[in-house]
Amino acid sequence: MLNYLIIFAIPWIAYAYENIALLKSAWQLHPYMYKHKIITTNASNAVDGLKTNLSYFGGQCTISANYQYEALWRVDLGAVLGIHHINIYYKTDDVPWGPGNGFTTRFLGFSVFISNTTDKEDGVLCFKDDKFTRYTIPAVITLNCTHHGRYVIYYNNRTSTNLPPDYSAYAFNELCEFEVYGCPSPSYYGEDCSQSCPDQCMDSRCHIETGNCFGCKVGYQGPTCDQPCQKNTYGHGCSMICGLCVNGEQCNHVNGTCHNGCEAGIYGSHCQMECPQGFYGRNCSNKCSEKCFIYKDCNIKTGVCFGGCAVGWKPPLCNEACAHSFYGPNCRLRCSNTCINRTCDAEKGSCDMVQNEIGHKNSKTSDIIVESREILFAVLTALVVVFV
Ligand SMILES: *[C@@H]1O[C@H](CO)[C@@H](O)[C@H](O)[C@H]1NC(C)=O
Ligand SMILES: *[C@@H]1O[C@H](CO)[C@@H](O)[C@H](O)[C@H]1NC(C)=O
Ligand SMILES: *[C@@H]1O[C@H](CO)[C@@H](O)[C@H](O)[C@H]1NC(C)=O
Ligand SMILES: *[C@@H]1O[C@H](CO)[C@@H](O)[C@H](O)[C@H]1NC(C)=O
Ligand SMILES: *[C@@H]1O[C@H](CO)[C@@H](O)[C@H](O)[C@H]1NC(C)=O
Ligand SMILES: *[C@@H]1O[C@H](CO)[C@@H](O)[C@H](O)[C@H]1NC(C)=O
């Protein structure tokens, strides 16, 4: 009955992160040589899963060379993986641990780095001992170290000429077991590594405990990157500002394209360019009037000519001549009430000769020319009639 209970209880209480260093490739800077050979003491002993015999002779511990001032050991996880915590079993020689054990002084001062390269300087320091003494350092240490990385590096040195009192004179890395707990796939998280990281996490990686993304794919934001960019932003980290999409619409949250086109006066897939001079309106498809006061220079949005219209043309767009009975700059003047029908030349205001009373004293030169033309036309018509 007791066994039955235990079998069902264990999954609920045990840490279920996996030892992702187990049987991975390991290396040390200064291996211990026996008659010029590395025998049973090499770097991979720290990741062999064996930690029952913590002496030199047991063949389960990594042993580094004597008389070195630096000790360096590392394991290659094979890929950038999510790490949760690390357990280190130092060599005890299977004698009681404590101030009387000769190995406590060698363990002191160590550090552990997580790096994406074999160089610790490229990585993050997850632990550096600067407070333990030979009385306080445990033989088995658990380090919290939630980082993503490929190499886990153990380092110690005795290069200082002024070492703390308990420190050994030389540096060692006598690791009997070095366990790195984490998830074997970087795109999973949670204690049993069963939950997949949110879809929009950059590189499909997330925090091994919380599942929060370290960064989002382009166009998304929020801790789990589940929110598309909004409020007229788009792109990487939602750091880009949308152009002027029609009706102030949100642009595509990934690439900034305006789905329904641009506001009047703006063009381009991102609606960030103003209409070229001489054009205005939706898609810049309208031409500014040639009768703008400044030739073809109008408001890109409305088409209203800057500085008004050329004399005789009707504001604001200057596409039509002045309305009936108006003339002059911006069609502000009334034709004289002595003009027939109050119709006059839109530009100059002279009464239209065709309909003018013959011999009207207000007739101007241009009107006389028109009159002469009329007469000439009448004469020709008469001639044609006579000839026929
Ligand atoms: C280290 O130990 C591993 C596993 O026992 C073995 O395969 C490897 O050849 C050893 N390396 C050296 C340099 O002795
Ligand atoms: C460790 O292994 C060595 C060599 O086989 C053996 O002599 C020693 O008794 C072992 N120690 C323990 C604690 O098993
Ligand atoms: C390793 O690379 C991954 C992905 O590029 C990154 O998230 C992580 O922070 C890096 N780890 C270190 C220790 O630099
Ligand atoms: C490591 O993390 C565990 C679980 O969150 C916590 O109980 C423990 O105090 C932490 N240890 C250190 C040294 O921060
Ligand atoms: C040696 O250790 C000391 C103290 O921990 C540290 O300040 C120093 O940077 C280390 N030396 C090297 C070469 O890393
Ligand atoms: C932006 O994305 C949308 C939707 O996927 C697509 O239709 C459009 O062609 C893209 N625009 C560009 C400039 O790539």
Side-chain angles (χ1 to χ4, degrees):
M1 188 58 196
L2 189 62
N3 283 346
Y4 176 88
L5 282 176
I6 287 168
I7 287 163
F8 282 88
I10 281 170
W12 298 95
I13 52 168
Y15 254 137
Y17 290 113
E18 268 178 51
N19 178 6
I20 53 178
L22 187 63
L23 304 179
K24 296 282 171 67
S25 141
W27 175 91
Q28 64 177 327
L29 179 62
H30 297 300
Y32 179 80
M33 307 277 195
Y34 179 73
K35 293 185 176 169
H36 308 292
K37 284 184 184 161
I38 306 168
I39 320 163
T40 58
T41 61
N42 81 26
S44 59
N45 288 354
V47 290
D48 62 1
L50 303 173
K51 54 192 186 207
T52 52
N53 192 320
L54 306 180
S55 74
Y56 168 80
F57 297 103
Q60 299 182 9
C61 299
T62 293
I63 311 292
S64 59
N66 291 323
Y67 312 120
Q68 301 297 328
Y69 292 100
E70 277 194 298
L72 185 62
W73 176 96
R74 68 169 179 252
V75 60
D76 177 1
L77 302 177
V80 175
L81 298 180
I83 295 164
H84 183 260
H85 66 281
I86 292 168
N87 292 341
I88 302 173
Y89 294 75
Y90 206 77
K91 183 185 171 208
T92 66
D93 229 6
D94 285 329
V95 297
W97 189 251
N101 186 307
F103 297 98
T104 53
T105 64
R106 298 180 175 189
F107 198 9
L108 293 172
F110 75 97
S111 34
V112 172
F113 296 83
I114 311 282
S115 182
N116 284 340
T117 73
T118 55
D119 189 348
K120 65 183 167 52
E121 304 301 332
D122 292 338
V124 293
L125 176 68
C126 61
F127 183 81
K128 162 86 177 88
D129 168 37
D130 54 11
K131 65 173 200 307
F132 285 129
T133 67
R134 67 195 162 109
Y135 293 89
T136 58
I137 193 163
V140 180
I141 284 184
T142 297
L143 308 174
N144 289 343
C145 194
T146 49
H147 286 289
H148 277 58
R150 174 164 175 175
Y151 297 91
V152 184
I153 301 166
Y154 178 96
Y155 176 76
N156 212 341
N157 82 45
R158 296 292 185 257
T159 51
S160 165
T161 52
N162 188 22
L163 292 170
D166 284 352
Y167 282 33
S168 57
Y170 299 100
F172 295 87
N173 52 271
E174 298 156 305
L175 307 169
C176 288
E177 200 62 22
F178 196 99
E179 298 171 337
V180 178
Y181 285 90
C183 293
S185 160
S187 52
Y188 285 84
Y189 74 101
E191 275 188 24
D192 52 6
C193 300
S194 65
Q195 306 186 60
S196 58
C197 292
D199 290 343
Q200 309 301 345
C201 285
M202 195 176 344
D203 300 328
S204 308
R205 275 186 245 277
C206 64
H207 190 279
I208 198 164
E209 284 178 323
T210 62
N212 287 349
C213 306
F214 299 118
C216 298
K217 287 184 181 163
V218 173
Y220 293 89
Q221 59 186 353
T224 56
C225 303
D226 54 346
Q227 297 155 23
C229 300
Q230 51 188 351
K231 297 195 174 135
N232 284 322
T233 63
Y234 74 99
H236 188 77
C238 300
S239 60
M240 315 281 280
I241 308 292
C242 296
L244 294 172
C245 303
V246 68
N247 298 329
E249 280 175 8
Q250 168 70 33
C251 64
N252 182 285
H253 64 105
V254 176
N255 64 22
T257 295
C258 292
H259 296 295
N260 296 311
C262 309
E263 278 293 6
I266 306 291
Y267 77 109
S269 63
H270 287 56
C271 299
Q272 283 170 335
M273 290 179 288
E274 297 192 339
C275 295
Q277 173 145 21
F279 294 87
Y280 75 97
R282 283 296 309 272
N283 305 317
C284 305
S285 55
N286 304 310
K287 288 184 179 166
C288 298
S289 172
E290 298 185 357
K291 303 298 181 187
C292 289
F293 185 75
I294 306 164
Y295 184 71
K296 287 188 177 175
D297 193 10
C298 71
N299 181 296
I300 52 170
K301 192 166 180 172
T302 59
V304 171
C305 293
F306 292 119
C309 302
V311 175
W313 295 84
K314 189 173 149 191
L317 298 181
C318 316
N319 289 335
E320 295 166 36
C322 296
H324 174 253
S325 85
F326 290 92
Y327 77 102
N330 296 318
C331 303
R332 284 225 196 82
L333 305 174
R334 283 309 292 272
C335 297
S336 161
N337 55 13
T338 60
C339 294
I340 290 184
N341 288 339
R342 214 168 186 176
T343 299
C344 68
D345 179 273
E347 194 178 332
K348 300 194 178 72
S350 51
C351 299
D352 189 335
M353 199 57 195
V354 180
Q355 290 149 333
N356 209 1
E357 290 165 288
I358 291 167
H360 194 284
K361 57 182 177 195
N362 279 349
S363 291
K364 294 180 180 170
T365 329
S366 58
D367 303 331
I368 292 164
I369 292 166
V370 172
E371 191 183 21
S372 332
R373 272 203 211 121
E374 290 293 324
I375 292 163
L376 185 61
F377 183 71
V379 168
L380 285 172
T381 310
L383 282 175
V384 167
V385 168
V386 168
F387 184 80
V388 167

